[in-house]
Amino acid sequence: MFAVMKTGGKQYRVAPGDTLEIEKLAAEAGETVQFNDVLMLGGSNPVVGAPFVEGAAVQAEVLGQIKGEKVIHFVRRRRKHSSKRTKGHRQQLTLVKVTEILEKGADSSGVKAAVGAGKAPRTAEANAPAKSAAATKSAPAKAAPAAGGDDLTKLSGVGPKLAEKLQSAGVTSFAQIAGWTEEDVAKMDEALSFKGRIEREGWVEQAKALAAEKE
């Protein structure tokens, strides 16, 4: 008897005693694993699955974790000063030996299912419906006002990062900005590399108005 099974996105025709190199499994040497995706059972009474044969499975012993032959990836780009790149890769594989083919009763065999090393169990979050691109677009984070300070992002052109820079420089309230002189503005421009933004955006005038609203 033989079976056609599927694992790691590939199909294999196997019989008891066959040794296979397949994509890496989450299993240790000496363990017995069971492949439940059987597409066909061959022999005197062949059975073809739709897509899998119900109750059928292939059991195998894990002989060890190995690496495949080195694959050389060579890229030569045209019209770019003949640039080239050579990259080697060795695929992680698992060596298994087929021990038994079950025609039925795979569910009650008690042998753990073969699971790829790269597969993680689905969580509740992973099972949740995918959100649309618009819904997942995160809104820009707001810089938290300093304790006892004002929300500096209300000033034109001030985002969370700029608000953090101002707070780091000791500027935490509209009243402070409203009281800036031309010399203060020039010093702040130079200290924080604002390059004339304070005058362009009219922060002093805006700060006066916002400070007045608080009173």
Side-chain angles (χ1 to χ4, degrees):
M1 173 182 282
F2 70 88
V4 177
M5 69 175 198
K6 179 181 177 184
T7 179
K10 299 174 184 175
Q11 296 177 13
Y12 300 88
R13 182 187 186 279
V14 299
D18 288 353
T19 301
L20 302 174
E21 293 179 0
I22 59 176
E23 289 203 18
K24 187 174 182 180
L25 300 177
E28 300 293 333
E31 285 189 68
T32 299
V33 294
Q34 180 169 290
F35 300 91
N36 296 313
D37 293 347
V38 176
L39 302 167
M40 175 185 173
L41 292 174
S44 55
N45 296 309
V47 180
V48 178
F52 304 120
V53 180
E54 187 176 352
V58 174
Q59 293 183 355
E61 180 187 355
V62 177
L63 301 180
Q65 303 291 354
I66 61 173
K67 287 186 178 181
E69 294 184 5
K70 181 174 282 189
V71 178
I72 303 297
H73 181 60
F74 179 81
V75 178
R76 186 179 182 87
R77 300 178 180 85
R78 298 176 60 201
R79 303 186 189 90
K80 290 187 178 179
H81 308 291
S82 298
S83 63
K84 56 187 179 181
R85 181 180 65 185
T86 303
K87 187 166 66 172
H89 171 71
R90 294 186 68 186
Q91 182 69 34
Q92 299 283 337
L93 302 172
T94 298
L95 186 64
V96 299
K97 182 178 181 180
V98 178
T99 55
E100 189 176 358
I101 295 175
L102 303 179
E103 297 183 59
K104 57 184 178 180
D107 295 341
S108 57
S109 68
V111 178
K112 79 170 188 177
V115 180
K119 291 183 180 178
R122 290 174 64 85
T123 60
E125 185 179 343
N127 287 324
K131 294 182 180 179
S132 65
T136 55
K137 213 172 189 180
S138 56
K142 264 196 168 185
D150 296 325
D151 183 2
L152 300 180
T153 58
K154 290 183 178 180
L155 294 171
S156 175
V158 177
K161 288 187 178 179
L162 201 49
E164 287 178 8
K165 283 186 176 182
L166 286 166
Q167 290 168 3
S168 298
V171 181
T172 59
S173 68
F174 299 133
Q176 284 176 274
I177 300 173
W180 281 353
T181 63
E182 290 184 5
E183 186 179 350
D184 294 330
V185 170
K187 284 182 179 178
M188 192 60 66
D189 267 338
E190 186 178 351
L192 300 179
S193 302
F194 284 171
K195 298 180 181 178
R197 174 176 290 186
I198 296 172
E199 290 185 356
R200 274 199 314 274
E201 302 287 355
W203 286 1
V204 175
E205 290 74 18
Q206 289 181 51
K208 289 177 180 177
L210 290 166
E213 286 178 10
K214 288 181 62 180
E215 294 176 356

